[in-house]
Amino acid sequence: MSPSNSDETSSSSTMTREQFVGAIDQGTTSTRFLIFNTKGEIEASHQIEFTQHYPHPSWVEHDPQEILDTVMSCIQEAVKDFEGKGHSASDIKAVGLTNQRETTVVWDKKTGKPLHNAIVWSDARTVKIVERLKKKAGSEKVQPLCGLPISTYFAAVKLVWLLEHVQEVKECRARGDLCFGTIDSWVLYNLTGGVNGGLHITDASNASRTMLCDVRTLKYDDWLVNDFFEFSGINLPKVVSSSEVYGEIPAGPLKGIPIAGVLGDQSAALVGQQCFAPGEAKNTYGTGCFLLYNTGEKPVISNNGLLTTVGYQFGPNAKPVYALEGSIAVAGSAIKWVRDQVGLIDDAAQIGELASQVEDTGGVVFVTAFSGLFAPYWRDDARGTILGLTAYTNKKHLCRATIEATCFQTKAILDAMNADSGKPLTSLKVDGGMTNGDVCMQIQSDILGIDVERPQMRESTALGSAMAAGLAVGVWQSIDDLKEVNQKGKTTFSPQNDEKDRKKRFRLWERAVDKACGWMDEDEADEEDSGAAKL
């Protein structure tokens, strides 16, 4: 081959070099960094679990600095693996971020240091604050404005607790230096420079989970912020779209690469599952379980215990797309509890193996209300309850009952969603760790009475944030370009029982829920909350 032909080949190779998009997936129990090609295939990834702090019953905390350290380590290791396969970090055209939502971080604007552990979305220490806020004048206006009920779940209530119980937080606010954010804001602030010019921003999907935004305008509502929650003088993150170039990473292996997409984890899964049309829905089975139903460009306020949330907003000038959401506080974390706290299994995969060895639960029902019950029940006074135990019961029945708990709660949410939409779903797209088990997905199909569709590559949450980032920088030109992404190897689970059996089993579940509620009286709830006074 002549030198001129060689140069021509080299030039052509450079022009057609493959493009990739990175995704930070900052979850409730672990952090990951994944690098996707344009087909949605994972080229490299790294994952690190981090510490769960349980200082009192129903309290859950994370160390914000540890979270940040895991993000940096995952990026470094995944990029190292990526380059080891012959790629260059410069082939990564953008980075997206998806995060555990509602988990609340406060830090000092001048030092950039967190002032307390992050209070996690599933933390239930704020039960008494919720009761007080529900009695406050104007409380009936909150959900119509922000789309969310007053609950321990959401960020604003956690911020109230921090302001009332942590002296450093009070003092920082008095100085005008208190910064508030959910995990996306904390990670983005540090990734873009921290105290050296770091961005204090949040995307529309995360902002819609704070209780501080008007769900229609996606702007902070003055009455909610200053009058109802009394947050005047606190530095809130600027609300931006889910897909635009926010800034570049200033240092490290991804130096100079733009951060161009941010989505709360469940919105990211909605995008990753390509639920772009009104009426499409997905369910993510992670630490908790979250079912989102695309309602289009207008928010729908639920009459059946569901949440109104932002699905995504692809660009600062684009209209937001909304969703109805049903949230389950405890799903995969129940399996972790069975493994780590009770010792019935040695690893998570074993629960499906044991569950498959019995035809049913032997009459056992496990209401996994470790932090109360979320949608559609919204019962902060519920607690984990196992009913129907007999001498016949063995650990196989308990394992199956643990799986069924998530599946029954999903049915309760789906029934509420069908009532709100008037258009019953005929199939459900699924992803998340629990979907790896065929037994779990077959049980889910049997309980719902509809098909359950599982993709081969089940990292839909990370993929969704990568899609948002890739759209912002032109890796994909439009939603139409995504149609072939992650479409191979889908598995469909169809019901193998009849309607009579489904109704019978669900009635038993509903009776168990009734017995799990009202478990805590006010004095006992006060005792759970008393640990706050010791801070």
Side-chain angles (χ1 to χ4, degrees), residues 3 18 32 116 147 180 226 314 324 352 375 400 446 456 498 500:
E18 190 173 3
R32 288 176 289 183
H116 190 271
F180 154 82
N226 297 315
F314 284 162
L324 281 171
R400 194 173 184 96
D446 290 343
Q456 185 176 41
D498 58 28
K500 182 179 178 181

Side-chain angles (χ1 to χ4, degrees), residues 238-422:
K238 178 184 177 183
V239 181
V240 296
S241 81
S242 310
S243 179
E244 59 178 283
V245 175
Y246 314 112
E248 294 183 350
I249 298 173
L254 298 179
K255 182 179 180 179
I257 294 173
I259 302 174
V262 179
L263 287 159
D265 51 8
Q266 303 315 315
S267 292
L270 190 76
V271 171
Q273 288 275 22
Q274 301 195 43
C275 296
F276 296 129
E280 294 185 323
K282 70 87 202 174
N283 201 22
T284 298
Y285 300 74
T287 303
C289 189
F290 305 88
L291 202 163
L292 267 68
Y293 178 99
N294 184 324
T295 60
E297 295 178 352
K298 292 184 179 180
V300 174
I301 303 299
S302 173
N303 294 314
N304 294 281
L306 303 179
L307 310 175
T308 304
T309 196
V310 173
Y312 54 87
Q313 183 190 18
F314 284 162
N317 298 317
K319 291 182 178 180
V321 171
Y322 294 91
L324 281 171
E325 175 175 337
S327 309
I328 299 169
V330 176
S333 56
I335 297 174
K336 188 174 182 181
W337 178 82
V338 167
R339 182 192 68 189
D340 298 344
Q341 303 298 99
V342 184
L344 286 182
I345 56 176
D346 296 321
D347 62 76
Q350 194 178 359
I351 198 165
E353 296 171 12
L354 290 170
S356 69
Q357 293 171 24
V358 288
E359 291 184 359
D360 53 39
T361 65
V364 174
V365 180
F366 183 9
V367 182
T368 52
F370 298 157
S371 303
L373 287 169
F374 286 177
Y377 306 105
W378 296 111
R379 294 294 298 263
D380 296 327
D381 60 346
R383 287 297 178 269
T385 309
I386 301 176
L387 299 120
L389 294 172
T390 67
Y392 172 72
T393 305
N394 60 43
K395 69 178 182 179
K396 298 172 185 177
H397 297 117
L398 291 170
C399 286
R400 194 173 184 96
T402 303
I403 292 172
E404 285 193 357
T406 297
C407 297
F408 279 127
Q409 288 176 85
T410 297
K411 176 174 170 52
I413 290 170
L414 197 64
D415 287 350
M417 213 160 267
N418 288 339
D420 275 330
S421 69

Side-chain angles (χ1 to χ4, degrees), residues 4 18 83 146 176 188 201 231 252 278 293-294 302 325 353 379 382 394 412 419 451 496 528:
S4 60
E18 190 173 3
E83 292 180 329
C146 70
L188 284 166
I201 59 176
F231 289 161
Y293 178 99
N294 184 324
S302 173
E325 175 175 337
E353 296 171 12
R379 294 294 298 263
N394 60 43
D451 287 350
Q496 296 180 355
E528 270 204 0

Side-chain angles (χ1 to χ4, degrees), residues 68-319:
L68 192 61
D69 290 345
T70 63
V71 170
M72 300 306 186
S73 295
C74 284
I75 289 173
Q76 185 172 3
E77 292 302 317
V79 171
K80 182 179 178 181
D81 180 30
F82 183 68
E83 292 180 329
K85 294 177 179 178
H87 304 293
S88 167
S90 63
D91 296 334
I92 302 171
K93 299 306 175 185
V95 171
L97 167 65
T98 183
N99 58 285
Q100 52 169 317
R101 303 169 302 170
E102 299 95 17
T103 296
T104 299
V105 188
V106 287
W107 66 93
D108 188 316
K109 182 171 69 174
K110 288 186 176 175
T111 66
K113 301 297 184 183
L115 301 170
H116 190 271
N117 274 348
I119 300 181
V120 178
W121 58 270
S122 59
D123 182 286
R125 75 185 65 186
T126 54
V127 169
K128 302 304 289 183
I129 292 173
V130 166
E131 290 178 5
R132 190 178 80 221
L133 290 172
K134 285 180 177 178
K135 295 173 183 175
K136 189 173 182 177
S139 61
E140 74 283 353
K141 297 192 295 184
V142 172
Q143 185 162 3
L145 262 175
C146 70
L148 308 173
I150 300 171
S151 165
T152 61
Y153 186 11
F154 304 110
V157 179
K158 303 178 194 300
L159 181 55
V160 171
W161 188 93
L162 288 162
L163 289 165
E164 292 182 356
H165 294 97
V166 183
Q167 188 62 31
E168 275 189 279
V169 175
K170 297 178 190 178
E171 293 172 357
C172 193
R173 180 189 188 178
R175 297 193 303 269
D177 294 330
L178 182 62
C179 291
F180 154 82
T182 43
I183 291 294
D184 58 310
S185 296
W186 170 246
V187 172
L188 284 166
Y189 169 73
N190 284 283
L191 275 182
T192 56
V195 289
N196 300 311
L199 299 172
H200 189 197
I201 59 176
T202 186
D203 95 293
S205 69
N206 279 293
S208 73
R209 313 297 293 189
T210 62
M211 300 192 76
L212 302 179
C213 278
D214 184 323
V215 74
R216 293 165 183 82
T217 65
L218 304 187
K219 295 179 179 179
Y220 292 116
D221 181 82
D222 183 69
W223 178 81
L224 285 170
V225 173
N226 297 315
D227 297 333
F228 189 77
F229 288 108
E230 302 177 23
F231 289 161
S232 59
I234 297 174
N235 298 290
L236 304 177
K238 178 184 177 183
V239 181
V240 296
S241 81
S242 310
S243 179
E244 59 178 283
V245 175
Y246 314 112
E248 294 183 350
I249 298 173
L254 298 179
K255 182 179 180 179
I257 294 173
I259 302 174
V262 179
L263 287 159
D265 51 8
Q266 303 315 315
S267 292
L270 190 76
V271 171
Q273 288 275 22
Q274 301 195 43
C275 296
F276 296 129
E280 294 185 323
K282 70 87 202 174
N283 201 22
T284 298
Y285 300 74
T287 303
C289 189
F290 305 88
L291 202 163
L292 267 68
Y293 178 99
N294 184 324
T295 60
E297 295 178 352
K298 292 184 179 180
V300 174
I301 303 299
S302 173
N303 294 314
N304 294 281
L306 303 179
L307 310 175
T308 304
T309 196
V310 173
Y312 54 87
Q313 183 190 18
F314 284 162
N317 298 317
K319 291 182 178 180

